PDB file of all heavy atoms in Angstrom:
ATOM      1  N   LYS A1442     109.462-156.698 -19.730  1.00 82.00           N
ATOM      2  CA  LYS A1442     109.147-156.131 -21.086  1.00 82.00           C
ATOM      3  C   LYS A1442     107.945-155.187 -20.970  1.00 82.00           C
ATOM      4  O   LYS A1442     107.931-154.137 -21.691  1.00 82.00           O
ATOM      5  CB  LYS A1442     108.798-157.298 -22.065  1.00 82.00           C
ATOM      6  CG  LYS A1442     110.055-158.096 -22.432  1.00 82.00           C
ATOM      7  CD  LYS A1442     109.664-159.114 -23.469  1.00 82.00           C
ATOM      8  CE  LYS A1442     110.851-159.977 -23.843  1.00 82.00           C
ATOM      9  NZ  LYS A1442     110.524-161.039 -24.782  1.00 82.00           N
ATOM     10  N   THR A1443     106.974-155.468 -20.166  1.00 83.00           N
ATOM     11  CA  THR A1443     105.848-154.568 -20.004  1.00 83.00           C
ATOM     12  C   THR A1443     106.278-153.222 -19.389  1.00 83.00           C
ATOM     13  O   THR A1443     105.897-152.156 -19.870  1.00 83.00           O
ATOM     14  CB  THR A1443     104.785-155.240 -19.149  1.00 83.00           C
ATOM     15  OG1 THR A1443     104.391-156.500 -19.713  1.00 83.00           O
ATOM     16  CG2 THR A1443     103.552-154.345 -18.970  1.00 83.00           C
ATOM     17  N   LEU A1444     107.151-153.344 -18.351  1.00 87.00           N
ATOM     18  CA  LEU A1444     107.653-152.091 -17.769  1.00 87.00           C
ATOM     19  C   LEU A1444     108.524-151.315 -18.729  1.00 87.00           C
ATOM     20  O   LEU A1444     108.349-150.074 -18.837  1.00 87.00           O
ATOM     21  CB  LEU A1444     108.482-152.454 -16.491  1.00 87.00           C
ATOM     22  CG  LEU A1444     109.088-151.290 -15.738  1.00 87.00           C
ATOM     23  CD1 LEU A1444     107.979-150.401 -15.209  1.00 87.00           C
ATOM     24  CD2 LEU A1444     109.948-151.777 -14.613  1.00 87.00           C
ATOM     25  N   LEU A1445     109.344-151.953 -19.490  1.00 88.00           N
ATOM     26  CA  LEU A1445     110.180-151.252 -20.480  1.00 88.00           C
ATOM     27  C   LEU A1445     109.307-150.605 -21.552  1.00 88.00           C
ATOM     28  O   LEU A1445     109.525-149.451 -21.964  1.00 88.00           O
ATOM     29  CB  LEU A1445     111.120-152.239 -21.147  1.00 88.00           C
ATOM     30  CG  LEU A1445     112.073-151.632 -22.167  1.00 88.00           C
ATOM     31  CD1 LEU A1445     112.958-150.590 -21.580  1.00 88.00           C
ATOM     32  CD2 LEU A1445     112.920-152.743 -22.802  1.00 88.00           C
ATOM     33  N   ALA A1446     108.266-151.303 -22.019  1.00 87.00           N
ATOM     34  CA  ALA A1446     107.352-150.721 -23.026  1.00 87.00           C
ATOM     35  C   ALA A1446     106.662-149.512 -22.435  1.00 87.00           C
ATOM     36  O   ALA A1446     106.496-148.478 -23.147  1.00 87.00           O
ATOM     37  CB  ALA A1446     106.339-151.751 -23.462  1.00 87.00           C
ATOM     38  N   ALA A1447     106.222-149.603 -21.201  1.00 90.00           N
ATOM     39  CA  ALA A1447     105.539-148.485 -20.541  1.00 90.00           C
ATOM     40  C   ALA A1447     106.501-147.251 -20.412  1.00 90.00           C
ATOM     41  O   ALA A1447     106.118-146.124 -20.624  1.00 90.00           O
ATOM     42  CB  ALA A1447     104.969-148.899 -19.192  1.00 90.00           C
ATOM     43  N   LEU A1448     107.728-147.543 -20.040  1.00 92.00           N
ATOM     44  CA  LEU A1448     108.721-146.454 -19.893  1.00 92.00           C
ATOM     45  C   LEU A1448     109.008-145.787 -21.233  1.00 92.00           C
ATOM     46  O   LEU A1448     109.182-144.558 -21.300  1.00 92.00           O
ATOM     47  CB  LEU A1448     109.999-147.007 -19.226  1.00 92.00           C
ATOM     48  CG  LEU A1448     109.936-147.320 -17.743  1.00 92.00           C
ATOM     49  CD1 LEU A1448     111.214-147.915 -17.258  1.00 92.00           C
ATOM     50  CD2 LEU A1448     109.615-146.008 -16.982  1.00 92.00           C
ATOM     51  N   ILE A1449     109.066-146.604 -22.319  1.00 92.00           N
ATOM     52  CA  ILE A1449     109.341-146.033 -23.616  1.00 92.00           C
ATOM     53  C   ILE A1449     108.197-145.108 -24.032  1.00 92.00           C
ATOM     54  O   ILE A1449     108.364-144.002 -24.527  1.00 92.00           O
ATOM     55  CB  ILE A1449     109.571-147.135 -24.648  1.00 92.00           C
ATOM     56  CG1 ILE A1449     110.911-147.798 -24.382  1.00 92.00           C
ATOM     57  CG2 ILE A1449     109.452-146.611 -26.081  1.00 92.00           C
ATOM     58  CD1 ILE A1449     111.203-149.042 -25.205  1.00 92.00           C
ATOM     59  N   VAL A1450     106.943-145.579 -23.812  1.00 92.00           N
ATOM     60  CA  VAL A1450     105.769-144.721 -24.146  1.00 92.00           C
ATOM     61  C   VAL A1450     105.749-143.457 -23.311  1.00 92.00           C
ATOM     62  O   VAL A1450     105.567-142.338 -23.820  1.00 92.00           O
ATOM     63  CB  VAL A1450     104.425-145.546 -23.935  1.00 92.00           C
ATOM     64  CG1 VAL A1450     103.257-144.666 -24.064  1.00 92.00           C
ATOM     65  CG2 VAL A1450     104.384-146.679 -24.997  1.00 92.00           C
ATOM     66  N   VAL A1451     105.966-143.542 -21.965  1.00 91.00           N
ATOM     67  CA  VAL A1451     106.037-142.366 -21.153  1.00 91.00           C
ATOM     68  C   VAL A1451     107.112-141.424 -21.576  1.00 91.00           C
ATOM     69  O   VAL A1451     106.981-140.255 -21.610  1.00 91.00           O
ATOM     70  CB  VAL A1451     106.150-142.793 -19.648  1.00 91.00           C
ATOM     71  CG1 VAL A1451     106.408-141.586 -18.784  1.00 91.00           C
ATOM     72  CG2 VAL A1451     104.857-143.453 -19.225  1.00 91.00           C
ATOM     73  N   GLY A1452     108.281-141.963 -21.881  1.00 90.00           N
ATOM     74  CA  GLY A1452     109.466-141.180 -22.334  1.00 90.00           C
ATOM     75  C   GLY A1452     109.156-140.460 -23.569  1.00 90.00           C
ATOM     76  O   GLY A1452     109.551-139.268 -23.751  1.00 90.00           O
ATOM     77  N   PHE A1453     108.472-141.116 -24.518  1.00 87.00           N
ATOM     78  CA  PHE A1453     108.138-140.485 -25.815  1.00 87.00           C
ATOM     79  C   PHE A1453     107.235-139.284 -25.520  1.00 87.00           C
ATOM     80  O   PHE A1453     107.447-138.208 -26.084  1.00 87.00           O
ATOM     81  CB  PHE A1453     107.443-141.486 -26.744  1.00 87.00           C
ATOM     82  CG  PHE A1453     106.895-140.919 -27.998  1.00 87.00           C
ATOM     83  CD1 PHE A1453     107.743-140.537 -29.023  1.00 87.00           C
ATOM     84  CD2 PHE A1453     105.558-140.667 -28.124  1.00 87.00           C
ATOM     85  CE1 PHE A1453     107.248-139.936 -30.184  1.00 87.00           C
ATOM     86  CE2 PHE A1453     105.039-140.123 -29.239  1.00 87.00           C
ATOM     87  CZ  PHE A1453     105.856-139.751 -30.306  1.00 87.00           C
ATOM     88  N   PHE A1454     106.202-139.451 -24.743  1.00 83.00           N
ATOM     89  CA  PHE A1454     105.298-138.325 -24.467  1.00 83.00           C
ATOM     90  C   PHE A1454     105.944-137.256 -23.722  1.00 83.00           C
ATOM     91  O   PHE A1454     105.683-136.102 -23.901  1.00 83.00           O
ATOM     92  CB  PHE A1454     104.000-138.819 -23.828  1.00 83.00           C
ATOM     93  CG  PHE A1454     103.055-139.484 -24.749  1.00 83.00           C
ATOM     94  CD1 PHE A1454     102.880-140.837 -24.721  1.00 83.00           C
ATOM     95  CD2 PHE A1454     102.361-138.716 -25.713  1.00 83.00           C
ATOM     96  CE1 PHE A1454     102.000-141.456 -25.624  1.00 83.00           C
ATOM     97  CE2 PHE A1454     101.510-139.325 -26.568  1.00 83.00           C
ATOM     98  CZ  PHE A1454     101.277-140.700 -26.548  1.00 83.00           C
ATOM     99  N   ALA A1455     106.819-137.621 -22.773  1.00 81.00           N
ATOM    100  CA  ALA A1455     107.569-136.559 -21.993  1.00 81.00           C
ATOM    101  C   ALA A1455     108.462-135.752 -22.990  1.00 81.00           C
ATOM    102  O   ALA A1455     108.527-134.511 -22.818  1.00 81.00           O
ATOM    103  CB  ALA A1455     108.363-137.241 -20.907  1.00 81.00           C
ATOM    104  N   ALA A1456     109.148-136.408 -23.870  1.00 79.00           N
ATOM    105  CA  ALA A1456     110.009-135.707 -24.836  1.00 79.00           C
ATOM    106  C   ALA A1456     109.216-134.790 -25.743  1.00 79.00           C
ATOM    107  O   ALA A1456     109.646-133.778 -26.138  1.00 79.00           O
ATOM    108  CB  ALA A1456     110.784-136.733 -25.687  1.00 79.00           C
ATOM    109  N   LEU A1457     108.017-135.243 -26.087  1.00 75.00           N
ATOM    110  CA  LEU A1457     107.143-134.464 -26.954  1.00 75.00           C
ATOM    111  C   LEU A1457     106.507-133.274 -26.203  1.00 75.00           C
ATOM    112  O   LEU A1457     106.418-132.173 -26.800  1.00 75.00           O
ATOM    113  CB  LEU A1457     105.996-135.328 -27.529  1.00 75.00           C
ATOM    114  CG  LEU A1457     105.115-134.731 -28.558  1.00 75.00           C
ATOM    115  CD1 LEU A1457     105.909-134.348 -29.782  1.00 75.00           C
ATOM    116  CD2 LEU A1457     103.986-135.740 -28.885  1.00 75.00           C
ATOM    117  N   LEU A1458     106.187-133.428 -24.942  1.00 75.00           N
ATOM    118  CA  LEU A1458     105.463-132.385 -24.209  1.00 75.00           C
ATOM    119  C   LEU A1458     106.398-131.518 -23.381  1.00 75.00           C
ATOM    120  O   LEU A1458     105.974-130.439 -23.017  1.00 75.00           O
ATOM    121  CB  LEU A1458     104.419-133.048 -23.333  1.00 75.00           C
ATOM    122  CG  LEU A1458     103.253-133.774 -24.091  1.00 75.00           C
ATOM    123  CD1 LEU A1458     102.349-134.382 -23.129  1.00 75.00           C
ATOM    124  CD2 LEU A1458     102.534-132.808 -25.006  1.00 75.00           C
ATOM    125  N   ALA A1459     107.590-131.921 -23.036  1.00 75.00           N
ATOM    126  CA  ALA A1459     108.481-131.123 -22.191  1.00 75.00           C
ATOM    127  C   ALA A1459     108.778-129.753 -22.803  1.00 75.00           C
ATOM    128  O   ALA A1459     108.750-128.791 -22.070  1.00 75.00           O
ATOM    129  CB  ALA A1459     109.741-131.916 -21.887  1.00 75.00           C
ATOM    130  N   PRO A1460     109.076-129.627 -24.127  1.00 73.00           N
ATOM    131  CA  PRO A1460     109.277-128.279 -24.678  1.00 73.00           C
ATOM    132  C   PRO A1460     108.044-127.384 -24.536  1.00 73.00           C
ATOM    133  O   PRO A1460     108.174-126.179 -24.418  1.00 73.00           O
ATOM    134  CB  PRO A1460     109.618-128.596 -26.119  1.00 73.00           C
ATOM    135  CG  PRO A1460     110.115-129.931 -26.179  1.00 73.00           C
ATOM    136  CD  PRO A1460     109.371-130.642 -25.087  1.00 73.00           C
ATOM    137  N   ASN A1461     106.873-127.972 -24.528  1.00 72.00           N
ATOM    138  CA  ASN A1461     105.652-127.194 -24.335  1.00 72.00           C
ATOM    139  C   ASN A1461     105.626-126.505 -22.950  1.00 72.00           C
ATOM    140  O   ASN A1461     105.110-125.435 -22.831  1.00 72.00           O
ATOM    141  CB  ASN A1461     104.397-128.038 -24.486  1.00 72.00           C
ATOM    142  CG  ASN A1461     103.831-128.060 -25.884  1.00 72.00           C
ATOM    143  OD1 ASN A1461     104.636-127.824 -26.826  1.00 72.00           O
ATOM    144  ND2 ASN A1461     102.546-128.185 -25.992  1.00 72.00           N
ATOM    145  N   LEU A1462     106.167-127.156 -21.946  1.00 72.00           N
ATOM    146  CA  LEU A1462     106.209-126.536 -20.599  1.00 72.00           C
ATOM    147  C   LEU A1462     107.032-125.261 -20.625  1.00 72.00           C
ATOM    148  O   LEU A1462     106.664-124.264 -20.066  1.00 72.00           O
ATOM    149  CB  LEU A1462     106.711-127.517 -19.599  1.00 72.00           C
ATOM    150  CG  LEU A1462     105.846-128.772 -19.388  1.00 72.00           C
ATOM    151  CD1 LEU A1462     106.499-129.670 -18.382  1.00 72.00           C
ATOM    152  CD2 LEU A1462     104.439-128.372 -18.915  1.00 72.00           C
ATOM    153  N   LEU A1463     108.188-125.260 -21.343  1.00 71.00           N
ATOM    154  CA  LEU A1463     108.965-124.063 -21.506  1.00 71.00           C
ATOM    155  C   LEU A1463     108.225-123.017 -22.304  1.00 71.00           C
ATOM    156  O   LEU A1463     108.152-121.826 -21.976  1.00 71.00           O
ATOM    157  CB  LEU A1463     110.284-124.374 -22.179  1.00 71.00           C
ATOM    158  CG  LEU A1463     111.172-123.165 -22.556  1.00 71.00           C
ATOM    159  CD1 LEU A1463     111.581-122.418 -21.323  1.00 71.00           C
ATOM    160  CD2 LEU A1463     112.358-123.598 -23.417  1.00 71.00           C
ATOM    161  N   TRP A1464     107.585-123.480 -23.437  1.00 70.00           N
ATOM    162  CA  TRP A1464     106.875-122.587 -24.291  1.00 70.00           C
ATOM    163  C   TRP A1464     105.661-121.900 -23.558  1.00 70.00           C
ATOM    164  O   TRP A1464     105.434-120.789 -23.726  1.00 70.00           O
ATOM    165  CB  TRP A1464     106.418-123.361 -25.525  1.00 70.00           C
ATOM    166  CG  TRP A1464     105.697-122.580 -26.551  1.00 70.00           C
ATOM    167  CD1 TRP A1464     106.106-121.476 -27.171  1.00 70.00           C
ATOM    168  CD2 TRP A1464     104.469-122.902 -27.162  1.00 70.00           C
ATOM    169  NE1 TRP A1464     105.183-121.062 -28.070  1.00 70.00           N
ATOM    170  CE2 TRP A1464     104.169-121.840 -28.111  1.00 70.00           C
ATOM    171  CE3 TRP A1464     103.540-123.910 -26.975  1.00 70.00           C
ATOM    172  CZ2 TRP A1464     102.998-121.900 -28.915  1.00 70.00           C
ATOM    173  CZ3 TRP A1464     102.376-123.886 -27.727  1.00 70.00           C
ATOM    174  CH2 TRP A1464     102.149-122.878 -28.665  1.00 70.00           C
ATOM    175  N   LEU A1465     104.993-122.713 -22.780  1.00 73.00           N
ATOM    176  CA  LEU A1465     103.830-122.207 -22.061  1.00 73.00           C
ATOM    177  C   LEU A1465     104.217-121.280 -20.923  1.00 73.00           C
ATOM    178  O   LEU A1465     103.413-120.451 -20.464  1.00 73.00           O
ATOM    179  CB  LEU A1465     102.939-123.332 -21.539  1.00 73.00           C
ATOM    180  CG  LEU A1465     102.270-124.187 -22.594  1.00 73.00           C
ATOM    181  CD1 LEU A1465     101.581-125.397 -21.969  1.00 73.00           C
ATOM    182  CD2 LEU A1465     101.254-123.341 -23.376  1.00 73.00           C
ATOM    183  N   SER A1466     105.439-121.344 -20.423  1.00 76.00           N
ATOM    184  CA  SER A1466     105.911-120.484 -19.338  1.00 76.00           C
ATOM    185  C   SER A1466     106.480-119.181 -19.793  1.00 76.00           C
ATOM    186  O   SER A1466     106.813-118.360 -18.960  1.00 76.00           O
ATOM    187  CB  SER A1466     106.823-121.256 -18.445  1.00 76.00           C
ATOM    188  OG  SER A1466     108.046-121.481 -19.138  1.00 76.00           O
ATOM    189  N   ARG A1467     106.753-119.045 -21.080  1.00 81.00           N
ATOM    190  CA  ARG A1467     107.379-117.862 -21.639  1.00 81.00           C
ATOM    191  C   ARG A1467     106.510-117.229 -22.685  1.00 81.00           C
ATOM    192  O   ARG A1467     105.717-117.942 -23.326  1.00 81.00           O
ATOM    193  CB  ARG A1467     108.727-118.201 -22.264  1.00 81.00           C
ATOM    194  CG  ARG A1467     109.771-118.798 -21.381  1.00 81.00           C
ATOM    195  CD  ARG A1467     110.491-117.730 -20.488  1.00 81.00           C
ATOM    196  NE  ARG A1467     110.987-116.581 -21.222  1.00 81.00           N
ATOM    197  CZ  ARG A1467     112.247-116.495 -21.676  1.00 81.00           C
ATOM    198  NH1 ARG A1467     113.055-117.494 -21.526  1.00 81.00           N
ATOM    199  NH2 ARG A1467     112.652-115.392 -22.278  1.00 81.00           N
ATOM    200  N   SER A1468     106.601-115.915 -22.867  1.00 85.00           N
ATOM    201  CA  SER A1468     105.895-115.265 -23.936  1.00 85.00           C
ATOM    202  C   SER A1468     106.784-115.346 -25.125  1.00 85.00           C
ATOM    203  O   SER A1468     107.979-115.201 -25.108  1.00 85.00           O
ATOM    204  CB  SER A1468     105.611-113.796 -23.556  1.00 85.00           C
ATOM    205  OG  SER A1468     104.639-113.775 -22.558  1.00 85.00           O
TER     206      SER A1468
END
Side-chain angles (χ1 to χ4, degrees):
K1442 288 182 182 178
T1443 304
L1444 180 61
L1445 181 61
L1448 287 175
I1449 289 172
V1450 169
V1451 169
F1453 173 75
F1454 282 108
L1457 185 63
L1458 297 176
N1461 266 27
L1462 296 177
L1463 173 65
W1464 183 53
L1465 292 172
S1466 68
R1467 298 282 309 267
S1468 290

